[in-house]
Amino acid sequence: MNHPIPEKVLNDGTKVPVIGFGTAGLKGADGVTVIASAIDAGYRLIDTAFNYENEGAVGKAVRQSSVLPKASSVKHQTENLNIFDFELSPEEMNVISALSREDGRLWGQDPNSYEEL
């Protein structure tokens, strides 16, 4: 079940959720399940850190979710993909970069049935 989490708009127009999901201590298969469940429940700000030593679990949970990760810039997106051990082709990176369009949709998808993170 997806519950929308309120957002705040930053000075540059970027929207960020006001509540995030902490991942400290979530590792392995159980961590993947919990993090994926949080994404499915509506969390879009996933708090992780190098010191949590769970980049693999977070990356696998994001890959398993039905939500496409995106960042505010191509550079930041590339850094995120490197951290979470994603391997995307140049074509896939171009698709993610196109998500910065004002309406956030690549091919005019209905936002009621298609979601992007």
Side-chain angles (χ1 to χ4, degrees), residues 71-82:
S72 58
S73 71
V74 174
K75 179 182 176 194
H76 193 205
Q77 181 69 43
T78 302
E79 290 171 357
N80 287 347
L81 296 173
N82 289 337

Side-chain angles (χ1 to χ4, degrees), residues 19-116:
I19 301 171
F21 184 79
T23 65
L26 299 176
K27 297 180 181 180
D30 289 341
V32 171
T33 300
V34 171
I35 297 164
S37 295
I39 294 169
D40 290 341
Y43 283 94
R44 296 297 179 262
L45 189 155
I46 308 298
D47 172 44
T48 188
F50 177 79
N51 290 340
Y52 297 169
E53 298 179 348
N54 65 353
E55 295 93 343
V58 173
K60 186 176 273 190
V62 171
R63 283 192 300 272
Q64 288 180 2
S65 77
S66 61
V67 178
L68 178 65
K70 78 178 203 180
S72 58
S73 71
V74 174
K75 179 182 176 194
H76 193 205
Q77 181 69 43
T78 302
E79 290 171 357
N80 287 347
L81 296 173
N82 289 337
I83 289 169
F84 293 118
D85 197 25
F86 279 87
E87 291 184 23
L88 296 178
S89 70
E91 179 181 292
E92 291 169 319
M93 284 299 295
N94 287 337
V95 168
I96 290 173
S97 298
L99 295 175
S100 63
R101 288 184 22 186
E102 187 173 318
D103 65 1
R105 307 278 165 212
L106 292 177
W107 300 286
Q109 300 95 331
D110 178 357
N112 294 317
S113 61
Y114 185 87
E115 182 176 7
E116 297 165 356

